Amino acid sequence: MTRYVMVADLRRCVGCQTCTAACKQANATLPGVQWRRVLDIEVGEFPDVSRVFLPTGCQHCGDPPCEEVCPTTATYQRDDGSVQIDHDLCIGCGYCALACPYEARYIVDEAEFAYGMEPMPNEAARFDEGKIGVAQKCTFCIDVVDAGIAKGLKPGVHPEATPACVNACISGALTFGDKDDPNSPVSKLLAKVEHFRMHEDLGTDPGFYYIWDKKPEDLM
Amino acid sequence: MKHGQQGYSKTDKGGQRKKGGKRGKVGPWPRLQKFWDIRAACNFIGGGTGAGLLLVAGFYALQGLDNTPLVIAGFLSISFGLFMVFLEIGRPWRSINLFFHPQTSWMTREGIVAIPLYVSMALSVFFAGQFIGVLASISAALLAGLFLYCQMRILHAARGIPAWRHVAIKPYMLITGMTEGLALALCISVTSAHTALVPILALLLFMRLGFWLRYAHQLRIDGAPEASCNKVDDLFIWTMVGNLLPVVLLVADWWLEVEAIVVLAGLIAAFSGWYTKAIVVTKAAQTRGFRLPRTPVRGQGQSRVVGQSGFRQNQ
C-alpha cells in the first residue's frame, strides 16, 4: 500500500510563506485562497512566550470526514491515501468544509483577481472556471506526483514528483513521501523524531505530521 | 464574493484577520464558519417544522380527522427549506448529484427520503378521506420522522463545528422539530384540533426546554469554543420565554377557552424554535481552531505543552 503524507518540522519553519507562494503559483489559486498556509502563532503568556510557525492545509486524512459527508462523491480518497475533489461533480454545498476540522477547504462563488474583477493576462491564462462555486483544497500536487511516477521518479525524493510547497521550502521544513515505504524520506525522518498530528482525537487519521523535537535517544 | 475560508496570514483577504493584519495578531483561534448562512438554517427550520406537521397529520389520519391543511402546510414548509438549500449551494443546477452518496452522507439520505415523502404527501392530499389517503398520511408521517432524523444527523456529522458535533444537539433537534410542527398544527386547525394536542404540546415544550438547557450546559462542560458557548447562553432568556410562555398561555386557554390564545401560544412556540435553530446554525457555529499540543524545541529552548486559544485545557 501507499500512503502519501507530509511532514512539517516546526523547529525549522521560519514562517517565510514561500510554500504558500509556491502553492499559489503552481495551482493558480485566486487571491484569498491558500491551499498551503503558514499560521503565525504566539503561545504562552509574558514572559514565557513562544512564536511558532505552523504550516497547515488539507491533512489528507486516512478517515476523511469531508469524504464521509459529501453527498455527491465529489470528494474521494485515492488508493495512495490522498483526498481529492472531482470539481465536475461537486455542487458547492459546503458541507465538506464544515466537516473538516482543519479549515482546509475554500469555496469561491465569484472570481476576484489581484486587481479586482478583471484578471491580469497571466491570471486569465490560468483561470479555471470549473473551480468556481465548488469546494477546492490542497491536492498534494497529485498531477505532478503522478507524472513523476510515470517517469520512474520517486515522490519526496525527486523534485519532479514532489509537491510545490515541499520543493520551495527554504529551510527543509517540509518533507513528502510514502509513509508505508520504510525507505521513504518521511518514514526515515519520523522514525527519529517526536511528532504529533493535529486533532488526532477526532479519529481523522491525518496524513500531516508535525515534528517538535528529536527522539530522546538522540539527545543522549 | 467568496464564502467560507479564510486564513490567518496577513496576506489572506478572505479571512477574519484582525484590522491591521499584524503578524502577532493572528492565531489559531476558533472562528465563525461562513459556509452555511440563514439559507441553510432555513432547511432545518422548514424541514423540522414540516416533519412535525406531517407527524400530526398522520395522527389526525388515524383519528379519522381531516388532515389535508396540515399535509399542505408540511409540504410548503419542507419545500421552503429545500428551496433555500437550492439557493445556498454553489452549483444549484447540479443538484441531482446530491443523491450519489447514500453509503455515508446524511445529506444524500435526506434527499432520498424526500422523494417518497413527496409522493406520500401528494397521495394523502389527492385521496383525502379514503383508505389510501389514510395509508399515505401514515407513510408521510413515518418518512417525515426519518427526514427529521436525517437533519439531526447532518448537523452532528460536521466534525469541524463543536456546537453541532455535540451529542446533546441531537435530541434537541428532534424535539424542537416536533414541537414546532405541533405548534403550527394547533394554529392551523385551532377550531377542530384534537383535544390531546394541547397537553402533548405542553409536554414537548417542557422536554424541549430541558434538552436545550442540557445542551447549553454540556457544551460548556465539554469545552466547546467560548464564543459558541456564549451565543448559546445568550439564548437563555429567549428559550425560557419561548417554552414557558406558551405553556402558560395553554393553561390560560384551559380556563378562558379563547382560540386566539392557543394560536398565540403556537406561534410563540414555533418562532422560538426557529430563532434558536437560526442562531445555532449561523452564530454559534465556531470552528475548532488549530491545536498546537507542543511548541517545537529550538536551540537551547524547551518544548512546552500548550492549550488552545478559545478552548479550555480540557477540550
Side-chain angles (χ1 to χ4, degrees), chain A residues 8-207:
Chain A
D9 192 338
L10 299 181
R11 303 168 304 172
R12 285 173 171 249
C13 183
V14 295
C16 66
Q17 310 264 2
T18 305
C19 55
T20 305
C23 175
K24 288 191 73 67
Q25 195 281 330
N27 296 294
T29 55
L30 293 169
V33 176
Q34 294 181 355
W35 291 357
R36 170 69 61 241
R37 286 185 286 163
V38 181
L39 306 186
D40 185 341
I41 302 170
E42 272 183 16
V43 179
E45 304 247 334
F46 179 82
D48 298 318
V49 181
S50 303
R51 187 178 180 189
V52 181
F53 301 108
L54 188 76
T56 69
C58 175
Q59 314 271 310
H60 293 273
C61 302
D63 185 9
C66 51
E67 189 267 345
E68 178 189 316
V69 302
C70 175
T72 67
T73 65
T75 295
Y76 64 99
Q77 191 172 32
R78 294 189 2 153
D79 291 340
D80 58 20
S82 68
V83 178
Q84 307 294 338
I85 301 172
D86 182 340
H87 296 118
D88 294 332
L89 273 180
C90 181
I91 59 173
C93 66
Y95 195 14
C96 55
L98 297 166
C100 174
Y102 306 101
E103 304 182 33
R105 288 179 169 241
Y106 293 78
I107 297 178
V108 178
D109 285 328
E110 190 181 340
E112 259 184 80
F113 300 93
Y115 295 99
M117 303 308 287
E118 286 299 316
M120 302 283 285
N122 63 315
E123 290 176 312
R126 303 187 64 198
F127 176 63
D128 181 1
E129 177 67 34
K131 287 189 184 135
I132 300 301
V134 298
Q136 55 172 293
K137 67 166 193 73
C138 161
T139 62
F140 266 172
C141 291
I142 206 67
D143 47 347
V144 174
V145 172
D146 284 345
I149 291 171
K151 290 182 201 165
L153 304 175
K154 191 168 183 179
V157 176
H158 299 101
E160 296 89 344
T162 301
C165 54
V166 177
N167 286 335
C169 182
I170 61 165
S171 60
L174 293 176
T175 311
F176 178 78
D178 177 10
K179 189 171 178 292
D180 288 351
D181 174 5
N183 294 314
S184 71
V186 290
S187 296
K188 289 178 180 173
L189 184 59
L190 290 174
K192 58 183 182 183
V193 294
E194 296 281 5
H195 55 80
F196 65 83
R197 292 185 291 173
M198 209 189 298
H199 293 315
E200 206 172 356
D201 54 318
L202 295 175
T204 54
D205 185 19

Side-chain angles (χ1 to χ4, degrees), chain B residues 145-211:
Chain B
L146 211 53
F147 188 82
L148 186 58
Y149 181 79
C150 289
Q151 289 209 328
M152 172 198 85
R153 294 299 297 264
I154 286 173
L155 267 194
H156 182 64
R159 274 192 255 189
I161 311 294
W164 300 355
R165 180 66 178 164
H166 201 285
V167 69
I169 193 78
K170 294 203 288 187
Y172 175 78
M173 288 297 291
L174 284 180
I175 290 295
T176 193
M178 291 161 67
T179 308
E180 292 156 21
L182 179 53
L184 274 198
L186 266 178
C187 295
I188 291 166
S189 61
V190 65
T191 53
S192 57
H194 194 280
T195 50
L197 293 191
V198 170
I200 291 175
L201 178 59
L203 179 67
L204 283 176
L205 285 164
F206 278 122
M207 288 175 69
R208 184 170 76 168
L209 179 60
F211 282 128

